[in-house]
Amino acid sequence: MTATADETKTKTTATMQLPAWLTTAGVNELLSLIHRPAQAGLMIEPIAPYTEQALPSIPTSTAEDVADAVATSRKAQKAWAMIPAAHKAKTMLRFHDLLVDRQNEVIDLIQLEMGKSRVNAWQEILQVGNIARHYARKGTSYLETNKVRGVMPGLTKVREVRVAKGVVGIISPWNYPLYLGVGDVIPALIAGNTVVSKADSATALTLLWTKKLFIEAGLPADAWIIVTGAGSVVGNALIDNVDFICFTGSTATGRKVAARAGERLIGASLELGGKNPLIVRADADIEAAAVGAVAGAYANTGQMCIHIERVLVNAAVYDEFKAAFVKAVEDLDVKQSFDYDCEVGTLASADQLATVVRHVDDAVAKGAKVLTGGKRLPEVGPYAYAPTVLEGVTPEMEVYLDETFGPVVSLYRVNSDQDALELANAGNYGLSASVWSKDHTMARVLARKLRSGSVNINDSAAAAAGSIEAGMGGMGDSGLGRRHGAEGIRKYTESQTIATQSLKMPLGVPEGMEIAKFVKVGNLQMKLLKRLGLR
Ligand code: NAD
């Protein structure tokens, strides 16, 4: 039996060699962590992007297994919520240390399942480590009880408290299987929820390894449950049972997730796609901007939601920038390697490669010019594609405003900040943007006019995304809600207002007072408060 078409890869006869530390028993131990009591789900047959050879088959959960997972999680939540915050924080910090110490294992898995370069895989360790430390140390302060003024100051004591949602469902994609798989789990747990995650079918081993590490760090096994399977079955079943859904993936799927969550009136955070612009102002440091644009465009082989796909350069410096940028792109080393000896890895799947080829071919057929790249690299690997720069891209081309999610960048010449702004804000996405300028004040003015959840000045993407204390998310079609910082944990709670009225003065018309007089006193009180400058 095989899984449904949306997530199945064709199994090849050859089997990918696993790293020495991952024995057959080790694989079986990881697979045993999938919640599938019915043992009746289909099999997923993932393949390794470097070789197109088979990776271990992944058994999947059924819709009934998912309902059971959420029921089990609900029971576990009652106990987890009672555990003191300091103990939860210690568990996170133990996980942090284990992750740093054992990083090579999960980096191997990320590369095996997803094909990115080793340094890009290591960046996931860095990001998750920072998130774990951050919420372990600051999580409870974000959730502190807020004392506010009551309707009758002095007589009405009001506190806003934070209550865990209950069971949080998390659906994440394959492009950052560790960061996006566990980065949202951490604040959800710190806030007192338990979590049921649907692993992406291409990268399930990475998430299962992480769950094993969490158990070693002391997390109760049922506080974070993992289910596997097709989004259309297992993802839907998750939304149908949990109390909040955190989704990361494409805008098209995000709309379906939001609609389904809306039917149940549960909250949803949606981290979706982008078509992120980078603006080079006339006063920019051109060499730095070119190097920065390369880092932002080709990181994770372009399969990063916040990566740069459009570079808008002021005409005064266009030729200088173009020469420096194309040279820096041509200097990139594309390789398939389990060592730290290259910057750019391969694409993750035949589907990703097909989209990249289609976007570039369509652009070229309609008149775009390839400044560099524009071709597959079969001598490197089956899904390798050369870092590509296009010029002369026009609105009728797919690559103009559709997300490519690959190593393809379009270069545009603009005549002013206003032109840059209009082009940057074209389309419906609004995830991440970048402005390069020596004039930080002007750059910040421009930033405020960009429809974008994050804007990086003199950096292309990492400055905002790596600043874990600041929210990260999208405007427009790029999503709803934020991860990281205060919003990244408060979204997993309900705000509850507890108002205590002094017994001496219950609210309402005092006994013996005429209603008309009560209204008059109320009106006088309003005027007095205004005159005193009070609310
Ligand atoms: P996708 O939407 O196809 O899949 C994402 C996840 O949703 C997968 O686990 C999939 O199994 C599941 N899914 C599929 N159909 C579903 C359904 N009907 N109901 C519930 N779940 C379902 O996205 P993808 O191609 O795997 O990921 C790439 C996309 O994710 C890109 O658009 C990228 O920009 C976006 N992304 C966004 C962020 C962000 O933070 N904004 C981060 C990474 C990736």
Side-chain angles (χ1 to χ4, degrees):
M1 280 200 294
T2 53
T4 53
D6 65 331
E7 296 196 344
T8 308
K9 311 276 183 267
T10 313
K11 190 165 184 171
T12 58
T13 42
T15 303
M16 179 79 184
Q17 193 182 348
L18 299 179
W21 64 265
L22 187 58
T23 59
T24 306
V27 170
N28 289 337
E29 190 190 355
L30 292 183
L31 298 181
S32 73
L33 297 174
I34 301 170
H35 193 88
R36 44 186 289 274
Q39 305 259 312
L42 308 168
M43 294 301 279
I44 300 166
E45 311 289 0
I47 57 172
Y50 281 178
T51 60
E52 291 189 305
Q53 290 172 317
L55 286 169
S57 305
I58 308 287
T60 67
S61 315
T62 60
E64 292 70 30
D65 291 336
V66 178
D68 186 80
V70 176
T72 307
S73 185
R74 217 172 272 298
K75 276 191 212 137
Q77 196 264 335
K78 304 237 176 325
W80 177 247
M82 300 303 289
I83 288 178
H87 181 94
K88 292 191 185 99
K90 269 190 194 155
T91 307
M92 286 308 151
L93 293 174
R94 273 197 300 273
F95 167 74
H96 171 280
D97 290 349
L98 286 170
L99 182 66
V100 175
D101 291 347
R102 303 254 301 274
Q103 59 179 273
N104 279 331
E105 294 177 23
V106 74
I107 289 175
D108 282 347
L109 287 178
I110 294 170
Q111 287 199 278
L112 268 177
E113 294 189 309
M114 198 266 163
K116 64 175 74 179
S117 70
R118 200 159 184 89
V119 66
N120 286 157
W122 173 80
Q123 281 156 351
E124 298 203 48
I125 306 284
L126 183 66
Q127 192 78 338
V128 171
N130 289 346
I131 290 171
R133 275 196 329 280
H134 175 66
Y135 284 116
R137 300 240 156 90
K138 258 202 107 170
T140 42
S141 70
Y142 286 140
L143 304 178
E144 262 169 11
T145 296
N146 189 24
K147 288 185 193 170
V148 298
R149 200 141 39 115
V151 60
M152 295 183 75
L155 295 174
T156 317
K157 291 201 170 59
V158 182
R159 287 173 168 70
E160 288 178 305
V161 300
R162 297 260 163 200
V163 182
K165 290 267 184 188
V167 180
V168 168
I170 295 185
I171 301 176
S172 50
W174 46 265
N175 65 323
Y176 278 90
L178 178 68
Y179 163 42
L180 299 174
V182 75
D184 292 297
V185 173
I186 291 167
L189 288 172
I190 292 273
N193 303 279
T194 48
V195 177
V196 179
S197 289
K198 187 195 96 61
D200 189 275
S201 301
T203 51
L205 290 178
T206 296
L207 209 61
L208 293 166
W209 181 94
T210 315
K211 164 152 178 159
K212 184 167 169 276
L213 207 70
F214 255 117
I215 294 172
E216 283 180 46
L219 187 75
D222 289 343
W224 182 29
I225 295 177
I226 295 179
V227 291
T228 50
S232 53
V233 179
V234 171
N236 282 346
L238 196 57
I239 303 164
D240 289 347
N241 285 279
V242 293
D243 304 312
F244 183 88
I245 190 82
C246 167
F247 173 82
T248 307
S250 63
T251 298
T253 309
R255 281 187 210 285
K256 292 185 199 160
V257 169
R260 206 166 178 111
E263 281 295 317
R264 290 195 57 230
L265 291 179
I266 60 163
S269 62
L270 306 166
E271 306 284 346
L272 310 177
K275 187 76 186 174
N276 310 301
L278 179 148
I279 296 172
V280 183
R281 296 187 75 233
D283 72 343
D285 177 333
I286 298 304
E287 201 51 45
V291 172
V294 168
Y298 303 103
N300 224 39
T301 325
Q303 301 161 118
M304 176 168 82
C305 58
I306 52 173
H307 90 119
I308 299 299
E309 297 207 351
R310 302 180 292 152
V311 177
L312 326 177
V313 189
N314 190 286
V317 291
Y318 183 87
D319 292 334
E320 188 189 347
F321 177 88
K322 176 174 143 180
F325 182 59
V326 170
K327 182 178 179 315
V329 176
E330 286 174 347
D331 284 347
L332 284 173
D333 203 8
V334 184
K335 221 169 156 180
Q336 301 195 148
S337 163
F338 288 95
D339 282 323
Y340 287 106
D341 56 356
C342 68
E343 290 145 292
V344 182
T346 181
L347 288 162
S349 67
D351 285 352
Q352 282 307 113
L353 179 66
T355 307
V356 169
V357 169
R358 193 183 74 241
H359 276 202
V360 173
D361 288 356
D362 170 72
V364 170
K366 291 173 181 161
K369 188 173 163 194
V370 176
L371 296 180
T372 185
K375 57 175 195 273
R376 295 178 58 174
L377 299 173
E379 68 282 12
V380 174
Y383 306 147
Y385 196 89
T388 298
V389 184
L390 300 175
E391 193 181 46
V393 169
T394 51
E396 57 281 3
M397 301 172 189
E398 262 190 280
V399 76
Y400 183 69
L401 287 181
D402 289 358
E403 184 185 46
T404 307
F405 216 53
V408 180
V409 170
S410 308
L411 216 51
Y412 298 88
R413 186 191 296 264
V414 292
N415 290 317
S416 63
D417 282 354
Q418 188 53 35
D419 282 358
L421 205 54
E422 276 169 29
L423 190 48
N425 283 340
N428 298 325
Y429 288 123
L431 190 58
S432 183
S434 165
V435 179
W436 291 77
S437 173
K438 287 186 189 136
D439 185 338
H440 294 185
T441 307
M442 276 309 295
R444 278 196 286 268
V445 168
L446 207 55
R448 297 286 292 261
K449 294 179 182 168
L450 284 163
R451 194 194 54 242
S452 181
S454 311
V455 182
N456 297 268
I457 295 172
N458 294 334
D459 183 69
S460 39
S467 300
I468 302 297
E469 286 196 39
M472 180 184 166
M475 299 183 186
D477 282 3
S478 291
L480 295 173
R482 297 289 179 266
R483 59 165 49 104
H484 300 173
E487 281 197 58
I489 188 164
R490 288 186 186 144
K491 70 182 177 186
Y492 295 125
T493 63
E494 299 280 2
S495 169
Q496 184 187 47
T497 297
I498 301 180
T500 310
Q501 189 62 17
S502 161
L503 284 178
K504 282 182 237 124
M505 186 63 94
L507 289 176
V509 184
E511 229 179 284
M513 186 187 273
E514 284 176 16
I515 295 175
K517 189 167 179 198
F518 175 72
V519 170
K520 201 171 166 186
V521 171
N523 287 336
L524 281 174
Q525 186 198 10
M526 283 197 284
K527 286 192 172 164
L528 183 66
L529 288 172
K530 161 122 188 303
R531 198 166 307 149
L532 293 174
L534 300 172
R535 54 155 186 87

